[in-house]
Amino acid sequence: MKKSALQIARAAYQPKLPVDLSGFVKVVEGEPTQSVADQEEIKALFPNTYGLPELRFEKNPVQTVGKPVNVGVILSGGQAPGGHNVICGLFDGIKKINKSSRLYGFLMGPGGLVDHKYVELTAEVIDEYRNTGGFDIIGSGRTKLEKQEQFDKGLEILKKLDITALVIIGGDDSNTNAAVLAEYYKQIGAGVQVIGCPKTIDGDLKNEVIEASFGFDTATKVYSELIGNIQRDCFSAKKYWHFIKLMGRSASHIALECALQTQPNICIISEEVEAENQTLQDVVNYIADIVARRAANGENFGTVLIPEGLIEFIPAMKNLIGQLNDLLAKNPEVATLSPAEQREWVLSHLTEKNASVYASLPEGVARQLTLDRDPHGNVQVSLIETEKLLSEMVARRLEEMRKEGKYNGKFSALHHFFGYEGRCAAPSNFDADYCYALGYNAAMLINAGVTGYMSSLRNLTAPSVQWLAGGIPITMMFNMERRHGEMKPVIQKALVKLDGKPFQRFAAKRADWAMSTSYVFPGPIQYFGPAEVCDQPTRTLYYEQLDK
Ligand code: FBP
């Protein structure tokens, strides 16, 4: 494949490992852990992997050579910048432990393990992918690894290849499954360790012990560049309102981060909408009010950021989606009905209240709510055109306001959806370093002989050489949640905290940004140049950790 000039120059970049991982490492055990909630239930479900201690790695003055190890790796779920570097770091880590170690990649996600589709990742292959975006080295997929038959089928190929450790690179659901797999393999004495790595552009796999998921940094920088470009166009022509939906699934971290980077006129935060029990009409009125006030100043233009999960956070919609999830999980045949039959079936099975909300939605949006779930049972929010729904409703509201003499302007809306544009970008310096270190660190966890752990690096706003390396028992992040109509142990999803510094900072500024047009134009990610241009952490991490 022909390489771009940037790809060639970037291939030579050497990610900076934390000092603790830079030579030989020793393991320091912390205190035993417990899950964030529902401790008794989770302990009973994970008798072999619950309560393990946190681990820290430190530089070891004594040189050690470990045993050769054969490791399998899986990329699971949506792409996120830096996935290739996790694999490169893992490769270099297991080779550091012992030169005879080997790495196998399972193809197209967890399904590759079950279907025995794999490739050996040799130095020649790995070197082609250093510091590149994408997941194409082995591909990714959303097959859910959750059934015992799948675990047993996977074990056959692991045994055949003499693989004794499996690294699963994924989001909250995939790491949940990694913990279930670790418990099962431990329970049956399979002799296979399972290690997770925190991946997702959505930024919702983070907590007290995992400071960030990889990919968030690069993806939000790409979206912020695009938003900045749109804002400059918008400010030049002064004739459009841009409704920009941003990926992120349920959580609004991406929208919030992009707002902090670009200072749009409006940004909706789903978690706030829910906390204030707002209706869809409340959100529409809020936007329309700002549009009208700007129009009164002669400014018929602006930008609105919308998190893709918004619809799920509007309480009436949330109840509706919750009931639809249960109904569709129990009646999969509904998916095969024609749109008209499906609508009729849905309306006759919903409660009266939910049926009236469903019936009030534009038909296209209602249908989007009943489309196939992803394999984890989630509504595919990226398919719901919330940006169009909102702008249509805002236009309607503005016409009412015009009749009431409260609006006298022009409203012309354009729509954008940013998600796929950022998921495979070449990783920023932060993600290149973070991902490489996560992979390398996973190799050290394998060498430490543990299972059911997530690779962890902390102190992420410091230069990468000062990051703290270690491992976190995945069960520590668990609580019980309703999924597919049943209570299940899962990693608690991190939503935007309304009392957290990033949101507080945004809330303090938004009234000003709404009216004063204070756009910031971040420009493209820079890979070479001064640290203040190339190595800035996200605003989210900055406010969480440094703005004390
Ligand atoms: P992960 O949670 O697997 O990291 O995926 C995140 C995401 O990019 C979401 O932001 C988005 O809603 C979804 O994937 C889109 O899924 P798909 O790639 O299957 O279209």
Side-chain angles (χ1 to χ4, degrees):
M1 224 188 259
K2 190 170 162 23
K3 289 196 178 122
S4 67
L6 178 66
Q7 252 176 301
I8 295 165
R10 195 62 182 154
Y13 177 73
Q14 182 51 52
K16 300 176 282 296
L17 270 181
V19 171
D20 290 342
L21 294 179
S22 62
F24 294 90
V25 304
K26 67 173 182 208
V27 186
V28 181
E29 264 192 25
E31 296 298 310
T33 58
Q34 52 173 356
S35 57
V36 284
D38 310 308
Q39 290 83 8
E40 288 313 312
E41 270 163 291
I42 291 162
K43 188 174 176 183
L45 290 167
F46 293 86
N48 298 286
T49 50
Y50 185 86
L52 298 169
E54 276 187 45
L55 300 179
R56 269 282 316 276
F57 292 128
E58 282 180 7
K59 208 173 161 106
N60 193 348
V62 182
Q63 287 206 0
T64 52
V65 178
K67 280 192 275 167
V69 59
N70 285 1
V71 174
V73 63
I74 296 175
L75 288 164
S76 181
Q79 286 70 252
H84 287 160
N85 265 23
V86 180
I87 296 179
C88 297
L90 176 63
F91 179 85
D92 291 352
I94 62 172
K95 290 286 183 188
K96 171 89 182 174
I97 292 163
N98 190 300
K99 282 201 189 75
S100 306
S101 298
R102 294 168 82 167
L103 183 62
Y104 294 90
F106 289 99
L107 302 178
M108 301 309 291
L113 176 71
V114 181
D115 300 335
H116 299 187
K117 300 222 165 86
Y118 66 91
V119 66
E120 180 166 1
L121 297 169
T122 58
E124 215 181 3
V125 179
I126 291 287
D127 287 345
E128 283 296 299
Y129 289 91
R130 292 185 188 272
N131 310 309
T132 57
F135 275 11
D136 43 301
I137 186 170
I138 49 173
S140 184
R142 291 197 183 277
T143 303
K144 192 171 171 159
L145 258 192
E146 58 174 357
K147 298 198 181 86
Q148 197 177 314
E149 308 90 88
Q150 294 174 308
F151 299 169
D152 291 337
K153 201 88 202 2
L155 191 55
E156 283 171 20
I157 188 69
L158 296 174
K159 287 284 172 208
K160 188 168 162 213
L161 298 172
D162 199 19
I163 289 175
T164 53
L166 187 63
V167 175
I168 298 181
I169 303 170
D172 54 338
D173 286 329
S174 307
N175 275 285
T176 293
N177 295 340
V180 176
L181 187 63
E183 173 67 26
Y184 178 70
Y185 282 169
K186 183 97 190 181
Q187 178 209 321
I188 64 168
V192 178
Q193 301 164 251
V194 183
I195 303 295
C197 276
K199 171 234 67 166
T200 177
I201 59 161
D202 298 351
D204 57 4
L205 172 46
K206 66 170 177 180
N207 44 52
E208 289 297 304
V209 283
I210 299 293
E211 294 180 4
S213 58
F214 79 76
F216 179 73
D217 184 273
T218 310
T220 53
K221 282 175 176 152
V222 172
Y223 306 144
S224 297
E225 177 204 351
L226 298 174
I227 295 164
N229 293 350
I230 285 176
Q231 292 191 150
R232 198 125 220 182
D233 191 286
C234 174
F235 197 39
S236 304
K238 297 190 167 54
K239 62 177 181 181
Y240 293 124
W241 271 89
H242 292 268
F243 282 68
I244 305 168
K245 185 175 75 165
L246 291 156
M247 259 191 190
R249 231 187 254 291
S250 305
S252 307
H253 298 292
I254 291 182
L256 178 58
E257 172 63 25
C258 291
L260 291 167
Q261 287 191 35
T262 62
Q263 305 190 174
N265 300 107
I266 299 173
C267 175
I268 307 295
I269 300 296
S270 309
E271 291 82 344
E272 183 183 30
V273 168
E274 181 178 50
E276 296 193 350
N277 211 1
Q278 290 177 14
T279 62
L280 190 53
Q281 195 58 49
D282 291 333
V283 177
V284 168
N285 292 351
Y286 169 72
I287 299 173
D289 179 56
I290 293 174
V291 173
R293 284 195 289 129
R294 286 179 65 82
N297 291 343
E299 299 193 312
N300 289 297
F301 65 90
T303 47
V304 186
L305 306 190
I306 304 152
E308 71 172 353
L310 173 65
I311 209 124
E312 285 183 284
F313 281 79
I314 293 169
M317 297 292 295
K318 192 177 180 178
N319 290 338
L320 168 62
I321 290 172
Q323 197 189 359
L324 281 173
N325 283 346
D326 286 356
L327 279 174
L328 296 178
K330 288 186 190 131
N331 302 281
E333 69 286 357
V334 177
T336 61
L337 299 178
S338 72
E341 287 169 337
Q342 199 184 63
R343 186 174 170 83
E344 200 177 311
W345 188 95
V346 167
L347 281 168
S348 63
H349 285 77
L350 287 171
T351 60
E352 204 179 316
K353 211 168 173 188
N354 285 338
S356 94
V357 177
Y358 188 81
S360 74
L361 294 172
E363 245 178 72
V365 174
R367 173 140 177 78
Q368 283 162 357
L369 292 181
T370 56
L371 291 178
D372 278 356
R373 274 35 192 168
D374 74 7
H376 299 281
N378 305 317
V379 178
Q380 300 198 53
V381 278
S382 59
L383 301 180
I384 300 171
E385 294 182 310
T386 332
E387 69 284 21
K388 290 195 183 145
L389 173 71
L390 281 179
S391 87
E392 273 170 34
M393 291 181 74
V394 166
R396 241 184 278 156
R397 172 72 194 134
L398 288 170
E399 284 319 303
E400 283 168 19
M401 290 170 77
R402 193 189 296 282
K403 284 186 195 131
E404 292 160 12
K406 294 181 185 152
Y407 171 63
N408 184 16
K410 266 195 191 153
F411 179 69
S412 188
L414 293 177
H415 306 103
H416 315 264
F417 169 37
F418 297 146
Y420 300 99
E421 292 79 352
R423 299 201 311 182
C424 284
S428 60
N429 285 351
F430 174 90
D431 272 327
D433 290 352
Y434 185 39
C435 293
Y436 184 82
L438 281 172
Y440 194 94
N441 190 60
M444 298 305 130
L445 287 168
I446 293 168
N447 194 38
V450 297
T451 191
Y453 276 75
M454 193 182 286
S455 178
S456 144
L457 291 150
R458 291 157 87 168
N459 199 26
L460 293 179
T461 46
S464 51
V465 287
Q466 292 168 27
W467 292 348
L468 306 172
I472 306 293
I474 301 177
T475 52
M476 186 180 172
M477 301 166 211
F478 272 13
N479 71 164
M480 300 296 290
E481 284 178 26
R482 197 171 179 77
R483 295 282 170 95
H484 280 279
E486 272 177 58
M487 291 306 282
K488 294 242 161 119
V490 293
I491 294 178
Q492 201 172 46
K493 210 181 252 311
L495 300 177
V496 167
K497 288 190 181 143
L498 301 183
D499 57 357
K501 283 270 170 61
F503 178 79
Q504 292 288 316
R505 168 79 188 180
F506 161 72
K509 293 282 175 185
R510 64 178 153 187
D512 178 33
W513 297 347
M515 298 309 296
S516 68
T517 311
S518 320
Y519 301 150
V520 174
F521 315 113
I525 294 178
Q526 300 294 310
Y527 301 94
F528 308 99
E532 67 273 20
V533 181
C534 301
D535 298 336
Q536 287 296 317
T538 58
R539 298 283 82 200
T540 304
L541 262 181
Y542 174 85
Y543 290 122
E544 280 172 353
Q545 297 193 359
L546 296 180
D547 188 33
K548 300 283 177 210

